[in-house]
Amino acid sequence: MADLVTAPNLAHPDDFYERLIAARRGLDVGASAMVNAKLVLLLASHIGDAGVLEQAIAAAREDVASAP
């Protein structure tokens, strides 16, 4: 099983961030959430390794407070 890469791994992270923000520009909250959800599913399909995806889900939940 592969391990989740959590170290910076983008050649141009600022460019990626700008593209990510631009993709949601002009959208309402619901449409922006839809773009985020579709991106997550596309990237999950690209990764294709259930173990890595489980690690990513666990990492994403770390330090996120539960709703009261």
Side-chain angles (χ1 to χ4, degrees):
M1 173 172 90
D3 286 325
L4 178 67
V5 175
T6 57
N9 196 28
L10 291 173
H12 303 284
D14 291 339
D15 293 344
F16 170 74
Y17 180 76
E18 288 299 322
R19 286 187 188 104
L20 187 59
I21 297 303
R24 295 168 34 218
R25 191 168 292 125
L27 301 178
D28 64 22
V29 173
S32 179
M34 179 66 75
V35 168
N36 287 342
K38 289 172 71 174
L39 180 59
V40 165
L41 293 174
L42 287 165
L43 293 172
S45 181
H46 177 76
I47 292 166
D49 184 312
V52 170
L53 294 171
E54 287 295 324
Q55 292 172 50
I57 291 168
R61 280 292 304 222
E62 285 180 12
D63 302 325
V64 175
S66 297

